[in-house]
Amino acid sequence: MTIIEIPAGWPADEGAALAVQEELRGRLVLGEEGPEAGTGHVTGLDVAYDDERDLVAAAAVVLDARTLEVVEEATAVGRVSFPYVPGLLAFREIPTVVAALDRLAADPGVLVCDGYGLAHPRRFGLASHLGVLTGLPSIGVAKNPFTFTYEQPGPERGAFSDLVADGETVGRALRTRAGVKPVYVSVGHRVSLDRACAHTLHLSPRYRLPETTRHADALCRRALAEALAAADQGAAAGAAAGPDA
């Protein structure tokens, strides 16, 4: 098992991370509509952590955007690369997520992150960060509300209300299933908010969460479990061999 180590020069404290975040935010592209929903590829991204061993497993799952069938999938396991600081969570996992993306042969198309883009205290969450680093269009679809206020959307599928932070619309609470609590959609990079919501609805034909997220969540959990099992086997083999092995 190859562990992705923390890259040289990676921010080690809050001040350094804030400086990188501010610099990258200047490269954010918000004026593009982005690909139409149901065309090309979409790639779900998610991570699973083992805090005891300081490991994070990332999964990238490419779907055919029209049929929602899996085209390709890839995983990577790495060291958690930054302490837990709200608003800087992207720095904990991006090296491993990028490693998983780099292992794909297929064009990822639109990145769909389990997290936020503009709906972030400094308008630069994980979806925006990854979009800028990769140059790919990206959206954030989060399970839970974060740093904004909103009204409950109507009960029907497709209903939405604005997510507002400091008087600015930063995303939408979007109902993907009638009578089920909404998801929280925000622009990442090179995709409009209308199109981000269209992608989210198209990717959620049966369940609250997009198929991209559902596939990536299952895969990263499986990758982490396999990595931990392999580590345990290696430790057991080393112990059995004794100190002189």
Side-chain angles (χ1 to χ4, degrees):
M1 175 182 62
T2 301
I3 300 294
I4 306 300
E5 298 295 339
I6 301 173
W10 193 251
D13 56 42
E14 185 172 352
L18 286 170
V20 170
Q21 195 176 70
E22 180 66 20
E23 190 273 328
L24 291 177
R25 189 176 63 174
R27 306 183 199 174
L28 200 57
V29 175
L30 301 177
E32 294 184 14
E33 280 295 301
E36 291 187 14
T39 63
H41 288 163
V42 287
T43 295
L45 301 166
D46 204 359
V47 298
Y49 287 95
D50 184 279
D51 292 325
E52 183 176 325
R53 304 194 196 200
D54 207 31
L55 291 178
V56 57
V61 182
V62 183
L63 304 186
D64 181 300
R66 183 179 63 84
T67 65
L68 305 186
E69 294 180 355
V70 174
V71 173
E72 188 183 4
E73 55 187 34
T75 62
V77 178
R79 302 290 177 196
V80 176
S81 50
F82 196 79
Y84 177 84
V85 179
L88 295 173
L89 301 186
F91 288 90
R92 291 170 58 80
E93 55 201 50
I94 275 183
T96 309
V97 172
V98 170
L101 278 169
D102 286 345
R103 292 174 179 174
L104 295 171
D107 176 6
V110 177
L111 303 182
V112 183
C113 301
D114 180 23
Y116 300 94
L118 291 185
H120 178 273
R122 289 173 295 281
R123 309 295 182 264
F124 200 73
L126 173 65
S128 297
H129 201 142
L130 272 173
V132 169
L133 286 181
T134 63
L136 295 168
S138 61
I139 66 175
V141 184
K143 303 180 184 76
N144 301 302
F146 182 33
T147 178
F148 38 72
T149 59
Y150 69 100
E151 296 182 359
Q152 282 293 328
E156 69 277 10
R157 171 177 159 85
F160 65 86
S161 62
D162 288 343
L163 308 178
V164 179
D166 302 322
E168 178 185 357
T169 297
V170 295
R172 289 176 184 162
L174 176 66
R175 194 87 65 183
T176 53
R177 288 193 66 201
V180 174
K181 67 180 182 177
V183 295
Y184 304 91
V185 181
S186 57
V187 169
H189 180 62
R190 298 181 57 204
V191 181
S192 70
L193 183 55
D194 283 345
R195 196 141 287 178
C197 289
H199 280 287
T200 303
L201 281 174
H202 179 75
L203 293 169
S204 310
R206 293 178 295 169
Y207 301 102
R208 175 183 175 239
L209 296 179
E211 289 300 294
T212 40
T213 300
R214 286 166 43 79
H215 282 289
D217 175 76
L219 182 58
C220 69
R221 291 175 186 272
R222 188 162 71 245
L224 182 61
E226 290 172 356
L228 295 177
D232 288 341
Q233 290 174 358
D244 297 326

